[in-house]
Amino acid sequence: MASRGDIQAGRASIALALKDGAFTKGLRAASTKLKDFGGGAMKIGGAITAAGSVIAAGMLAAVNSFAETGSALKDMAGRTGMSASSLAELGHAASMTGASLDDVEIGTRKMQKAITSGSKAFDELGLSAANLQKLSPDEQFNAVSEALAGVADPTKKAALAMEVFGKSGTKLLPMVDDLKALRQEARDLNIVPDAEQVRLADAVGDAMDRVKKAVGGVVFQIGAALAPAYAAADPFPHAVIDDLIDPALLASMLPPEPVDKPLLE
């Protein structure tokens, strides 16, 4: 018969086994949760990395757009004498009416030539070429555009536009008719840079161009360093070339010549 101590020891063993089983299940459950958490963390980390890449790419694209737009406006301002902010407004107005900023530049330069030469078209518009010469290019464009917008006869209007703006004249007419509102819309959309923003954009664009050229220079120098080794190597052995141009080999690749049969008498 088992003693009281043996019974207590058995109960303790059973209790320990039960506790140990519960503990094991707990460990397994915890392990599973940790694995799930780790997988989720990895997914979150991947998502964060992907999001970071998208954000970084978007920021780089924004900088590129800023630099390209600002540099283009600065260069065009230098060619036309107009302010970069005014060109930005005109660029928006042109794009909204089926024209382009290039059309504006071409038309502006033709207008300036017409003013200098004293075109009679300005008289028909109620303007004076002599007085226009005293204005800034921005003021000249505004005055001519306003005068054109006031011409009621469509045929005469188109003719005068071409006389003043050249071939771009008819493209610019829809913009001219609603120029003030379109300029204001550009300012409301906050797409008109100030002088400091244009200067900064041009500087950023120049810096990016220098970086590209520097990288290109490094690649060129690497190529120059590797060129002698490639030149010394013979990737096409002469034996192979000789085989390719061997007359006997070429002859064997040609179809046999037809044998002339004697004519029957």
Side-chain angles (χ1 to χ4, degrees):
M1 182 176 181
S3 65
R4 184 174 182 179
D6 293 336
I7 293 174
Q8 290 178 345
R11 289 177 179 175
S13 178
I14 293 173
L16 182 60
L18 291 174
K19 290 181 180 180
D20 182 64
F23 179 68
T24 301
K25 291 181 181 178
L27 282 178
R28 289 175 179 172
S31 176
T32 301
K33 290 181 179 180
L34 285 173
K35 288 180 180 178
D36 292 341
F37 174 78
M42 290 180 67
K43 291 180 181 178
I44 293 172
I48 292 174
T49 301
S53 300
V54 171
I55 292 172
M59 293 175 66
L60 181 59
V63 173
N64 281 331
S65 177
F66 171 72
E68 290 177 1
T69 302
S71 296
L73 289 174
K74 184 176 183 299
D75 293 341
M76 191 174 292
R79 293 192 297 267
T80 61
M82 302 178 76
S83 66
S85 58
S86 179
L87 286 171
E89 294 173 2
L90 292 174
H92 170 72
S95 67
M96 296 299 292
T97 53
S100 68
L101 189 54
D102 288 336
D103 294 325
V104 172
E105 179 182 4
I106 294 171
T108 299
R109 293 165 70 177
K110 180 64 172 65
M111 177 197 71
Q112 292 168 341
K113 290 182 180 180
I115 292 173
T116 303
S117 64
S119 173
K120 298 299 182 181
F122 297 115
D123 296 334
E124 297 188 49
L125 288 170
L127 300 172
S128 166
N131 290 335
L132 287 172
Q133 290 185 33
K134 300 175 184 179
L135 303 177
S136 69
D138 289 334
E139 293 170 334
Q140 291 172 350
F141 192 93
N142 288 337
V144 172
S145 297
E146 186 175 350
L148 273 173
V151 177
D153 185 353
T155 302
K156 182 179 180 180
K157 188 176 191 177
L160 288 173
M162 292 187 67
E163 184 69 25
V164 174
F165 292 128
K167 294 180 180 180
S168 298
T170 54
K171 290 184 179 180
L172 297 179
L173 276 180
M175 177 189 76
V176 164
D177 289 337
D178 200 21
L179 187 57
K180 287 185 178 180
L182 290 170
R183 279 183 178 273
Q184 184 59 50
E185 184 178 66
R187 291 190 289 269
D188 293 340
L189 292 173
N190 200 30
I191 56 176
V192 180
D194 57 32
E196 177 59 21
Q197 289 173 330
V198 172
R199 184 199 66 78
L200 180 59
D202 187 57
V204 171
D206 290 344
M208 294 176 73
D209 288 341
R210 292 188 183 96
V211 170
K212 292 177 182 178
K213 290 180 179 179
V215 172
V218 171
V219 172
F220 178 81
Q221 293 301 325
I222 292 174
L226 295 175
Y230 277 92
D234 191 358
F236 302 103
H238 292 290
V240 176
I241 298 176
D242 292 341
D243 288 340
L244 291 175
I245 62 175
D246 181 57
L249 178 62
L250 291 177
S252 67
M253 298 172 63
L254 296 174
E257 295 183 2
V259 178
D260 293 334
K261 296 182 180 180
L263 296 176
L264 296 177
E265 295 182 356

